[in-house]
Amino acid sequence: EVELVESGGGSVQPGGSLRVSCTATGYIASGFCMAWFRQTSEKEREGVASIDSDGRITYADSVKGRFTISKDNTKNILYLQMDDMKPEDTAMYYCAAARLAPTSCTPEYPAELPNFGYRGQGTQVTVSS
């Protein structure tokens, strides 16, 4: 069984930076797609970034150029570095993992396949002055 635990959320001012982490325990094999998505009470689930088993990275247009997804395979930790943050980035951030082919690994997969794979409990990120 795979467990995902997010950490690193908090409050930051507009223009600031924050890094959230997702530690995976259990068996994360090669062939896993990992992704970050976010959700607020007002908005539907929104894909943020994904990284497939070949290391190919995809970002949502809303975060492209500001957010960076990365993965430490030796420690089974997924990161999301968030720079130049905006108030609209305020949300609960979740990580997700699933055995998906690279062509199916997109930031939208957690919303398109809500009952597939694994996801964490989330970490709150607030951007406010």
Side-chain angles (χ1 to χ4, degrees), residues 31-50:
F32 266 71
C33 164
M34 300 196 74
W36 287 98
F37 66 96
R38 61 190 182 187
Q39 190 163 18
T40 67
S41 56
E42 294 83 21
K43 294 181 181 179
E44 293 183 352
R45 190 172 297 178
E46 178 187 18
V48 174
S50 63

PDB file of all heavy atoms in Angstrom, residues 31-50:
ATOM      1  N   GLY A  31       7.305   3.545 -13.530  1.00  0.00           N
ATOM      2  CA  GLY A  31       6.017   3.466 -14.202  1.00  0.00           C
ATOM      3  C   GLY A  31       4.953   4.285 -13.508  1.00  0.00           C
ATOM      4  O   GLY A  31       3.826   4.362 -13.976  1.00  0.00           O
ATOM      5  N   PHE A  32       5.290   4.896 -12.376  1.00  0.00           N
ATOM      6  CA  PHE A  32       4.327   5.730 -11.668  1.00  0.00           C
ATOM      7  C   PHE A  32       4.391   7.160 -12.187  1.00  0.00           C
ATOM      8  O   PHE A  32       5.446   7.739 -12.371  1.00  0.00           O
ATOM      9  CB  PHE A  32       4.605   5.726 -10.166  1.00  0.00           C
ATOM     10  CG  PHE A  32       3.809   4.705  -9.417  1.00  0.00           C
ATOM     11  CD1 PHE A  32       4.089   3.366  -9.551  1.00  0.00           C
ATOM     12  CD2 PHE A  32       2.773   5.089  -8.577  1.00  0.00           C
ATOM     13  CE1 PHE A  32       3.351   2.417  -8.855  1.00  0.00           C
ATOM     14  CE2 PHE A  32       2.032   4.150  -7.873  1.00  0.00           C
ATOM     15  CZ  PHE A  32       2.326   2.814  -8.014  1.00  0.00           C
ATOM     16  N   CYS A  33       3.213   7.711 -12.365  1.00  0.00           N
ATOM     17  CA  CYS A  33       3.039   9.126 -12.641  1.00  0.00           C
ATOM     18  C   CYS A  33       2.795   9.813 -11.313  1.00  0.00           C
ATOM     19  O   CYS A  33       2.060   9.297 -10.473  1.00  0.00           O
ATOM     20  CB  CYS A  33       1.832   9.320 -13.556  1.00  0.00           C
ATOM     21  SG  CYS A  33       1.182  11.003 -13.655  1.00  0.00           S
ATOM     22  N   MET A  34       3.421  10.962 -11.101  1.00  0.00           N
ATOM     23  CA  MET A  34       3.169  11.719  -9.874  1.00  0.00           C
ATOM     24  C   MET A  34       2.765  13.142 -10.251  1.00  0.00           C
ATOM     25  O   MET A  34       3.277  13.708 -11.225  1.00  0.00           O
ATOM     26  CB  MET A  34       4.386  11.711  -8.967  1.00  0.00           C
ATOM     27  CG  MET A  34       4.787  10.302  -8.539  1.00  0.00           C
ATOM     28  SD  MET A  34       5.915  10.253  -7.145  1.00  0.00           S
ATOM     29  CE  MET A  34       4.807  10.678  -5.781  1.00  0.00           C
ATOM     30  N   ALA A  35       1.856  13.694  -9.471  1.00  0.00           N
ATOM     31  CA  ALA A  35       1.304  14.995  -9.838  1.00  0.00           C
ATOM     32  C   ALA A  35       0.929  15.799  -8.597  1.00  0.00           C
ATOM     33  O   ALA A  35       0.754  15.246  -7.507  1.00  0.00           O
ATOM     34  CB  ALA A  35       0.068  14.803 -10.716  1.00  0.00           C
ATOM     35  N   TRP A  36       0.831  17.108  -8.791  1.00  0.00           N
ATOM     36  CA  TRP A  36       0.277  18.013  -7.791  1.00  0.00           C
ATOM     37  C   TRP A  36      -1.016  18.599  -8.351  1.00  0.00           C
ATOM     38  O   TRP A  36      -1.079  18.958  -9.533  1.00  0.00           O
ATOM     39  CB  TRP A  36       1.240  19.164  -7.497  1.00  0.00           C
ATOM     40  CG  TRP A  36       2.444  18.791  -6.700  1.00  0.00           C
ATOM     41  CD1 TRP A  36       3.692  18.503  -7.173  1.00  0.00           C
ATOM     42  CD2 TRP A  36       2.520  18.666  -5.277  1.00  0.00           C
ATOM     43  NE1 TRP A  36       4.543  18.205  -6.126  1.00  0.00           N
ATOM     44  CE2 TRP A  36       3.853  18.306  -4.955  1.00  0.00           C
ATOM     45  CE3 TRP A  36       1.599  18.841  -4.233  1.00  0.00           C
ATOM     46  CZ2 TRP A  36       4.273  18.107  -3.642  1.00  0.00           C
ATOM     47  CZ3 TRP A  36       2.029  18.648  -2.937  1.00  0.00           C
ATOM     48  CH2 TRP A  36       3.349  18.277  -2.647  1.00  0.00           C
ATOM     49  N   PHE A  37      -2.036  18.667  -7.489  1.00  0.00           N
ATOM     50  CA  PHE A  37      -3.237  19.381  -7.868  1.00  0.00           C
ATOM     51  C   PHE A  37      -3.689  20.202  -6.660  1.00  0.00           C
ATOM     52  O   PHE A  37      -3.199  20.007  -5.551  1.00  0.00           O
ATOM     53  CB  PHE A  37      -4.346  18.433  -8.350  1.00  0.00           C
ATOM     54  CG  PHE A  37      -4.901  17.499  -7.314  1.00  0.00           C
ATOM     55  CD1 PHE A  37      -6.069  17.820  -6.624  1.00  0.00           C
ATOM     56  CD2 PHE A  37      -4.288  16.285  -7.038  1.00  0.00           C
ATOM     57  CE1 PHE A  37      -6.593  16.961  -5.676  1.00  0.00           C
ATOM     58  CE2 PHE A  37      -4.815  15.412  -6.092  1.00  0.00           C
ATOM     59  CZ  PHE A  37      -5.970  15.747  -5.409  1.00  0.00           C
ATOM     60  N   ARG A  38      -4.597  21.139  -6.896  1.00  0.00           N
ATOM     61  CA  ARG A  38      -5.052  21.991  -5.801  1.00  0.00           C
ATOM     62  C   ARG A  38      -6.555  22.164  -5.865  1.00  0.00           C
ATOM     63  O   ARG A  38      -7.166  21.976  -6.919  1.00  0.00           O
ATOM     64  CB  ARG A  38      -4.345  23.348  -5.867  1.00  0.00           C
ATOM     65  CG  ARG A  38      -4.596  24.149  -7.142  1.00  0.00           C
ATOM     66  CD  ARG A  38      -3.651  25.351  -7.210  1.00  0.00           C
ATOM     67  NE  ARG A  38      -3.897  26.165  -8.387  1.00  0.00           N
ATOM     68  CZ  ARG A  38      -3.139  27.194  -8.771  1.00  0.00           C
ATOM     69  NH1 ARG A  38      -2.061  27.532  -8.053  1.00  0.00           N
ATOM     70  NH2 ARG A  38      -3.449  27.877  -9.858  1.00  0.00           N
ATOM     71  N   GLN A  39      -7.127  22.560  -4.750  1.00  0.00           N
ATOM     72  CA  GLN A  39      -8.574  22.723  -4.681  1.00  0.00           C
ATOM     73  C   GLN A  39      -8.931  23.743  -3.614  1.00  0.00           C
ATOM     74  O   GLN A  39      -8.320  23.791  -2.546  1.00  0.00           O
ATOM     75  CB  GLN A  39      -9.243  21.380  -4.379  1.00  0.00           C
ATOM     76  CG  GLN A  39     -10.752  21.409  -4.535  1.00  0.00           C
ATOM     77  CD  GLN A  39     -11.320  20.007  -4.649  1.00  0.00           C
ATOM     78  OE1 GLN A  39     -10.689  19.015  -4.305  1.00  0.00           O
ATOM     79  NE2 GLN A  39     -12.535  19.917  -5.154  1.00  0.00           N
ATOM     80  N   THR A  40      -9.933  24.563  -3.923  1.00  0.00           N
ATOM     81  CA  THR A  40     -10.508  25.471  -2.941  1.00  0.00           C
ATOM     82  C   THR A  40     -12.000  25.176  -2.839  1.00  0.00           C
ATOM     83  O   THR A  40     -12.554  24.436  -3.655  1.00  0.00           O
ATOM     84  CB  THR A  40     -10.310  26.939  -3.337  1.00  0.00           C
ATOM     85  OG1 THR A  40     -11.103  27.203  -4.520  1.00  0.00           O
ATOM     86  CG2 THR A  40      -8.849  27.241  -3.669  1.00  0.00           C
ATOM     87  N   SER A  41     -12.647  25.771  -1.866  1.00  0.00           N
ATOM     88  CA  SER A  41     -14.084  25.536  -1.700  1.00  0.00           C
ATOM     89  C   SER A  41     -14.878  26.165  -2.849  1.00  0.00           C
ATOM     90  O   SER A  41     -15.993  25.745  -3.134  1.00  0.00           O
ATOM     91  CB  SER A  41     -14.559  26.091  -0.359  1.00  0.00           C
ATOM     92  OG  SER A  41     -14.241  27.468  -0.260  1.00  0.00           O
ATOM     93  N   GLU A  42     -14.283  27.184  -3.506  1.00  0.00           N
ATOM     94  CA  GLU A  42     -15.003  27.862  -4.594  1.00  0.00           C
ATOM     95  C   GLU A  42     -14.720  27.259  -5.962  1.00  0.00           C
ATOM     96  O   GLU A  42     -15.531  27.397  -6.877  1.00  0.00           O
ATOM     97  CB  GLU A  42     -14.625  29.358  -4.630  1.00  0.00           C
ATOM     98  CG  GLU A  42     -15.067  30.158  -3.417  1.00  0.00           C
ATOM     99  CD  GLU A  42     -14.110  30.041  -2.260  1.00  0.00           C
ATOM    100  OE1 GLU A  42     -12.933  29.687  -2.489  1.00  0.00           O
ATOM    101  OE2 GLU A  42     -14.532  30.271  -1.111  1.00  0.00           O
ATOM    102  N   LYS A  43     -13.576  26.630  -6.109  1.00  0.00           N
ATOM    103  CA  LYS A  43     -13.172  26.137  -7.425  1.00  0.00           C
ATOM    104  C   LYS A  43     -13.144  24.625  -7.469  1.00  0.00           C
ATOM    105  O   LYS A  43     -12.993  23.949  -6.445  1.00  0.00           O
ATOM    106  CB  LYS A  43     -11.770  26.656  -7.771  1.00  0.00           C
ATOM    107  CG  LYS A  43     -11.666  28.158  -7.953  1.00  0.00           C
ATOM    108  CD  LYS A  43     -10.236  28.529  -8.324  1.00  0.00           C
ATOM    109  CE  LYS A  43     -10.074  30.018  -8.480  1.00  0.00           C
ATOM    110  NZ  LYS A  43      -8.667  30.362  -8.811  1.00  0.00           N
ATOM    111  N   GLU A  44     -13.252  24.105  -8.657  1.00  0.00           N
ATOM    112  CA  GLU A  44     -13.097  22.668  -8.842  1.00  0.00           C
ATOM    113  C   GLU A  44     -11.613  22.303  -8.731  1.00  0.00           C
ATOM    114  O   GLU A  44     -10.746  23.158  -8.750  1.00  0.00           O
ATOM    115  CB  GLU A  44     -13.621  22.265 -10.217  1.00  0.00           C
ATOM    116  CG  GLU A  44     -15.110  22.423 -10.382  1.00  0.00           C
ATOM    117  CD  GLU A  44     -15.587  21.942 -11.732  1.00  0.00           C
ATOM    118  OE1 GLU A  44     -14.750  21.640 -12.584  1.00  0.00           O
ATOM    119  OE2 GLU A  44     -16.805  21.861 -11.937  1.00  0.00           O
ATOM    120  N   ARG A  45     -11.382  21.016  -8.617  1.00  0.00           N
ATOM    121  CA  ARG A  45     -10.019  20.537  -8.559  1.00  0.00           C
ATOM    122  C   ARG A  45      -9.245  21.000  -9.791  1.00  0.00           C
ATOM    123  O   ARG A  45      -9.733  20.896 -10.914  1.00  0.00           O
ATOM    124  CB  ARG A  45     -10.054  19.005  -8.494  1.00  0.00           C
ATOM    125  CG  ARG A  45      -8.764  18.346  -8.203  1.00  0.00           C
ATOM    126  CD  ARG A  45      -9.019  16.867  -7.979  1.00  0.00           C
ATOM    127  NE  ARG A  45      -9.877  16.649  -6.815  1.00  0.00           N
ATOM    128  CZ  ARG A  45     -10.279  15.455  -6.426  1.00  0.00           C
ATOM    129  NH1 ARG A  45      -9.940  14.384  -7.117  1.00  0.00           N
ATOM    130  NH2 ARG A  45     -11.047  15.328  -5.387  1.00  0.00           N
ATOM    131  N   GLU A  46      -8.033  21.518  -9.578  1.00  0.00           N
ATOM    132  CA  GLU A  46      -7.221  22.043 -10.675  1.00  0.00           C
ATOM    133  C   GLU A  46      -5.859  21.372 -10.690  1.00  0.00           C
ATOM    134  O   GLU A  46      -5.144  21.404  -9.674  1.00  0.00           O
ATOM    135  CB  GLU A  46      -7.046  23.557 -10.510  1.00  0.00           C
ATOM    136  CG  GLU A  46      -6.179  24.190 -11.588  1.00  0.00           C
ATOM    137  CD  GLU A  46      -5.870  25.653 -11.324  1.00  0.00           C
ATOM    138  OE1 GLU A  46      -6.023  26.104 -10.173  1.00  0.00           O
ATOM    139  OE2 GLU A  46      -5.469  26.356 -12.269  1.00  0.00           O
ATOM    140  N   GLY A  47      -5.511  20.794 -11.800  1.00  0.00           N
ATOM    141  CA  GLY A  47      -4.191  20.214 -11.954  1.00  0.00           C
ATOM    142  C   GLY A  47      -3.136  21.294 -11.972  1.00  0.00           C
ATOM    143  O   GLY A  47      -3.346  22.362 -12.555  1.00  0.00           O
ATOM    144  N   VAL A  48      -1.983  21.020 -11.347  1.00  0.00           N
ATOM    145  CA  VAL A  48      -0.907  22.002 -11.267  1.00  0.00           C
ATOM    146  C   VAL A  48       0.299  21.552 -12.083  1.00  0.00           C
ATOM    147  O   VAL A  48       0.791  22.283 -12.935  1.00  0.00           O
ATOM    148  CB  VAL A  48      -0.498  22.232  -9.802  1.00  0.00           C
ATOM    149  CG1 VAL A  48       0.714  23.152  -9.722  1.00  0.00           C
ATOM    150  CG2 VAL A  48      -1.663  22.810  -9.003  1.00  0.00           C
ATOM    151  N   ALA A  49       0.791  20.354 -11.821  1.00  0.00           N
ATOM    152  CA  ALA A  49       1.990  19.867 -12.519  1.00  0.00           C
ATOM    153  C   ALA A  49       2.052  18.355 -12.398  1.00  0.00           C
ATOM    154  O   ALA A  49       1.488  17.771 -11.469  1.00  0.00           O
ATOM    155  CB  ALA A  49       3.254  20.496 -11.926  1.00  0.00           C
ATOM    156  N   SER A  50       2.744  17.728 -13.336  1.00  0.00           N
ATOM    157  CA  SER A  50       2.921  16.279 -13.291  1.00  0.00           C
ATOM    158  C   SER A  50       4.313  15.917 -13.800  1.00  0.00           C
ATOM    159  O   SER A  50       4.939  16.685 -14.544  1.00  0.00           O
ATOM    160  CB  SER A  50       1.855  15.582 -14.135  1.00  0.00           C
ATOM    161  OG  SER A  50       1.975  15.956 -15.495  1.00  0.00           O
TER     162      SER A  50
END
